[in-house]
Amino acid sequence: KSDLPAAWTHGTGGNTIAVSSLTGVGIEQLISGITARLVPSVPPVGTAIPVTERQVACLQSARAAAAIGDLDQAHTELRRCTRGGNPC
């Protein structure tokens, strides 16, 4: 909280961001810091990103099927993933 005196002195190294919810100081830097930690490398616009465990499981199943040459099964898994079919 940058609008109040510091409550401690340890741990105020280079990774510290002073933020004030009262004045808004540091909010953008905090958001940028959190975003960079969660998504260190932003994919190109339009890249499909799995967001559920079911989607990840379907993609893993499709990749495994493709790896052994079972392209019909890989296609089935991808259809389930994109059309919301039965869980993998």
Side-chain angles (χ1 to χ4, degrees):
K1 295 208 37 107
S2 64
D3 55 340
L4 296 176
W8 63 87
T9 57
H10 67 284
T12 55
N15 291 333
T16 303
I17 300 171
V19 176
S20 171
S21 60
L22 182 65
T23 66
V25 170
I27 298 293
E28 287 301 319
Q29 294 87 344
L30 179 62
I31 291 170
S32 294
I34 291 170
T35 302
R37 283 262 172 118
L38 293 174
V39 185
S41 177
V42 178
V45 172
T47 300
I49 300 171
V51 294
T52 68
E53 289 182 26
R54 185 190 66 79
Q55 290 172 336
V56 171
C58 287
L59 291 171
Q60 289 172 337
S61 295
R63 180 171 57 183
I68 61 171
D70 190 348
L71 299 183
D72 288 335
Q73 184 61 34
H75 188 253
T76 297
E77 297 297 341
L78 290 174
R79 272 198 319 267
R80 285 183 187 163
C81 188
T82 59
R83 293 186 183 155
N86 295 329
C88 298

